[in-house]
Amino acid sequence: MGNSALRAHVETAQKTGVFQLKDRGLTEFPSELQKLTSNLRTIDLSNNKIESLPPMIIGKFTVLKSLSLNNNKLTVLPEELCNLKKLEMLSLNNNHLRELPSTFGQLAALKTLSLSGNQLRALPPQLCSLRHLDVVDLSKNQIRSIPDIVGELQVIELNLNQNQISQISVKISCCPRLKVLRLEENCLELSMLPQSILSDSQICLLAVEGNLFEIKKLRELEGYDKVCICVLHHCSRDDNGETT
């Protein structure tokens, strides 16, 4: 991309507070944006080839609320990213991330986090420190189990579709706000699905299609009639609690 074209985007962003530069083959985070650290509210650099974020710049966007870097080549996130105290939405789908910074829990305003299609092998414990987090998408990673710490999550919706999960802590039933739990296409046996998800949790929509058991077996479990079970992405339940 030519300097004049980039300069034009920067000038526009200076007026609007929004910088969007997708599908341009960028290999680096534009250094020109350091001129706009005090007024950018939205940055979208999706569908590029960016491999890293500059530590000296990324943490200085004091009013940034939305950051999207989907479909890039990020392998690690700098600790400085966690200085974005007003960030509410972070979308990093389809990169090569294996873990989150240890200080990720400092993103106190974060409400929506999308990390689908990365290389995470575990549920990041830092997420449990984020008290305003509403929606988390960890689908299409390499997560194998859900540990006890999951009970501290404050999220309303948790997407764990298309991982390698074979074990889930019963503590998931303790999540105080969790309403939607997506576990489609994992490696769960019915015996590994905590029955308390159905009988003793806030969860009202459960998606478990594509695991190692037949959905109809769920009907034998206590609490089945209290939860909407998603089958092939359609959710329904008749008056008798049966999926239709």
Side-chain angles (χ1 to χ4, degrees):
M1 161 171 254
N3 288 336
S4 59
L6 179 56
R7 195 179 308 118
H9 279 275
V10 170
E11 289 175 358
T12 299
Q14 195 163 13
K15 300 173 184 176
T16 64
V18 176
F19 185 84
Q20 186 178 80
L21 204 57
K22 302 190 293 185
D23 301 291
R24 298 301 180 98
L26 297 178
T27 57
E28 296 180 344
F29 188 92
S31 59
E32 290 82 357
L33 293 187
Q34 61 186 317
K35 304 172 185 176
L36 306 177
T37 53
S38 62
N39 66 325
L40 278 186
R41 297 185 308 277
T42 299
I43 297 176
D44 189 348
L45 293 167
S46 297
N47 305 331
N48 283 292
K49 300 177 182 179
I50 298 171
E51 297 183 0
S52 63
L53 299 178
M56 299 299 290
I57 300 176
I58 194 62
K60 294 182 178 180
F61 292 94
T62 54
V63 297
L64 191 67
K65 289 191 174 185
S66 176
L67 177 60
S68 298
L69 284 151
N70 301 317
N71 300 301
N72 276 281
K73 296 185 177 182
L74 298 173
T75 57
V76 66
L77 299 175
E79 297 279 344
E80 289 80 359
L81 176 73
C82 306
N83 294 332
L84 301 176
K85 303 302 183 184
K86 295 194 175 182
L87 193 68
E88 296 180 0
M89 193 284 290
L90 178 60
S91 191
L92 300 167
N93 297 328
N94 300 317
N95 279 278
H96 306 295
L97 300 171
R98 296 192 175 190
E99 60 183 5
L100 300 181
S102 59
T103 53
F104 198 81
Q106 294 178 10
L107 292 171
L110 199 63
K111 295 179 179 179
T112 302
L113 175 63
S114 298
L115 289 165
S116 179
N118 279 280
Q119 298 174 17
L120 300 174
R121 294 182 177 273
L123 180 77
Q126 301 94 315
L127 302 186
C128 298
S129 301
L130 299 170
R131 315 316 287 176
H132 299 290
L133 197 57
D134 292 331
V135 179
V136 174
D137 186 355
L138 298 174
S139 62
K140 299 180 182 178
N141 276 279
Q142 300 167 19
I143 300 171
R144 295 178 178 272
S145 64
I146 304 301
D148 288 349
I149 197 172
V150 70
E152 299 177 24
L153 273 179
Q154 297 294 315
V155 298
I156 297 172
E157 178 171 348
L158 178 59
N159 187 344
L160 293 165
N161 288 347
Q162 292 179 270
N163 276 278
Q164 301 165 19
I165 298 169
S166 60
Q167 292 185 319
I168 301 179
S169 169
V170 68
K171 295 291 187 181
I172 198 166
S173 304
C174 300
C175 293
R177 299 201 303 154
L178 186 60
K179 300 291 186 184
V180 178
L181 178 58
R182 302 186 185 280
L183 288 162
E184 293 182 318
E185 296 182 49
N186 276 282
C187 304
L188 284 167
E189 299 277 1
L190 184 58
S191 60
M192 291 292 101
L193 187 70
Q195 187 169 327
S196 56
I197 288 178
L198 300 178
S199 62
D200 189 24
S201 78
Q202 299 297 314
I203 297 168
C204 56
L205 189 152
L206 177 64
V208 289
E209 184 79 4
N211 280 279
L212 305 180
F213 59 87
E214 296 180 23
I215 295 294
K216 64 182 181 182
K217 293 289 185 181
L218 284 175
R219 298 176 183 177
E220 303 169 7
L221 300 181
E222 180 184 352
Y224 171 81
D225 58 334
K226 298 178 182 177
V227 178
C228 178
I229 309 296
C230 276
V231 181
L232 296 177
H233 308 291
H234 296 284
C235 309
S236 60
R237 188 175 59 206
D238 63 21
D239 293 337
N240 297 316
E242 303 227 333
T243 302
T244 57

